[in-house]
Amino acid sequence: MSIVLGPNRYGKAETRVVRVDRDGARHRIKDCNVGVSLSGDLHRTHLSGDNRDVLPTDTQKNTVYAFAAKYGIASAEEFALLLARHFTGATPAIRHARVVVEEYAWDRIPGASGHSFARSGGEVRDATVHCDRDGAAHVVSGIGGLVVMNTTDSEFHGFAGDEYTTLAPTRDRILATEVRARWRHTAVPDRAGWDDSYRKVRSGLLDAFAQTYSFSLQQTLYAMGSRVLADNPEICEVRLTLPNRHHFAVDLSPFRLDNDNRVFHAADRPYGLIEGSVLRDDAPDAGPAWE
């Protein structure tokens, strides 16, 4: 029996960088968390401790800060592409770079000066870029922490049952979830309207959730993914993770009160977890895009 080195990568995780653009009286904030992972011909460092092929993770951190200063942060996608393309040429041994950028939104405080902001809720934008030395790149954009609710127009019945089934069918329920969505772009243009694309996808997800009369969260997932693909020809696949944030009507009969579907207990666990991918039938091969 022989022992060999398998797939491996290394990098710098969670480099927090904040860029403030001070052009004029109205400042602009980009607040990001950057993760870098590099892979390639790195057998020497693993097998013998020879580090000649290793670009230190501290250098990777410094590069994030230097690029934020030199080029700014136009969007999560563009910044990730800049870094990934740089790192694939950093040393001869590096063949592939994976860069993940999470972007945290700040809103201007109404009526305040142009330099006063409040951090937006729990919603987080992100981008994952894979880049090879030959220049091939894959871009996946995403959003997480987007909490949504429909207080009606949702049913759940006709499901399978066995001796352990206690759930009662319902013709009117609250449907709530925390959307985690990621979408794959078919190509990486030289100049891309990443912000416009992100806003359009987010709007499509919300519209589909609000406009779908739901018989299951699975049905809603497909409607949301389909809307994104229908409205955005440059996107070929959408992956959605939708935890079911259950809301159970409280039994008020011990207090001799009626509960006409008005008072609920919001349960945090356990919860149903619905996951799925919606894609075009001619979508190109994803390669490493989702890793």
Side-chain angles (χ1 to χ4, degrees):
M1 181 187 73
S2 62
I3 299 173
V4 298
L5 177 67
N8 61 88
R9 62 189 181 190
Y10 81 105
K12 199 69 163 182
E14 300 200 39
T15 297
R16 285 299 306 272
V17 56
V18 177
R19 161 85 185 213
V20 179
D21 289 329
R22 303 175 180 275
D23 301 328
R26 284 176 64 83
H27 295 176
R28 178 174 172 269
I29 293 176
K30 284 291 185 177
D31 181 357
C32 297
N33 192 31
V34 181
V36 178
S37 295
L38 307 180
S39 56
D41 186 11
L42 297 169
H43 65 282
R44 283 189 287 215
T45 187
H46 287 277
L47 302 183
S48 67
D50 182 340
N51 295 323
R52 75 183 72 180
D53 300 319
V54 177
L55 183 72
T57 66
D58 189 68
T59 303
Q60 297 170 34
K61 174 204 69 179
N62 293 340
T63 304
V64 171
Y65 294 137
F67 272 43
K70 289 173 64 176
Y71 306 112
I73 304 175
S75 67
E77 291 87 351
E78 185 171 325
F79 195 54
L81 277 165
L82 280 170
L83 290 167
R85 286 169 170 159
H86 167 79
F87 285 124
T88 53
T91 71
I94 301 303
R95 310 291 185 193
H96 185 88
R98 174 184 183 265
V99 178
V100 179
V101 177
E102 295 176 332
E103 183 178 333
Y104 310 110
W106 291 79
D107 295 327
R108 298 185 187 280
I109 296 176
S113 65
H115 58 262
S116 298
F117 299 84
R119 174 77 179 268
S120 299
E123 185 180 320
V124 177
R125 174 180 176 176
D126 61 83
T128 300
V129 168
H130 285 266
C131 188
D132 294 326
R133 174 166 292 221
D134 63 7
H138 301 269
V139 180
V140 172
S141 301
I143 186 172
L146 180 60
V147 181
V148 293
M149 175 189 288
N150 282 332
T151 55
T152 189
D153 286 352
S154 175
E155 305 181 17
F156 190 60
H157 52 80
F159 46 82
D162 61 16
E163 66 269 32
Y164 303 112
T165 301
T166 60
L167 183 69
T170 179
R171 303 280 176 170
D172 189 9
R173 67 170 181 169
I174 286 178
L175 184 66
T177 187
E178 181 177 322
V179 178
R180 170 62 171 139
R182 302 176 73 204
W183 51 96
R184 178 162 62 99
H185 301 265
T186 55
V188 181
D190 291 334
R191 297 180 62 85
W194 296 113
D195 288 345
D196 288 341
S197 175
Y198 176 82
R199 284 190 289 266
K200 192 173 180 182
V201 171
R202 183 183 183 278
S203 177
L205 291 169
L206 292 176
D207 287 347
F209 179 83
Q211 296 167 8
T212 300
Y213 191 105
S214 179
F215 293 94
S216 68
L217 191 50
Q218 289 90 333
Q219 175 202 3
T220 301
L221 180 150
Y222 185 75
M224 294 169 73
S226 298
R227 177 69 64 88
V228 171
L229 295 181
D231 293 347
N232 302 275
E234 75 281 5
I235 295 170
C236 62
E237 183 177 2
V238 183
R239 295 191 178 185
L240 288 151
T241 298
L242 303 180
N244 197 336
R245 290 197 161 190
H246 300 294
H247 287 69
F248 299 110
V250 177
D251 180 10
L252 298 177
S253 59
F255 318 119
R256 290 180 288 184
L257 295 172
D258 293 329
N259 188 359
D260 186 19
N261 220 21
R262 296 178 185 274
V263 180
F264 299 86
H265 165 63
D268 64 342
R269 64 192 67 181
Y271 53 86
L273 183 61
I274 313 303
E275 300 176 286
S277 175
V278 184
L279 67 163
R280 303 185 192 279
D281 58 8
D282 60 349
D285 180 63
W290 297 108
E291 295 176 8

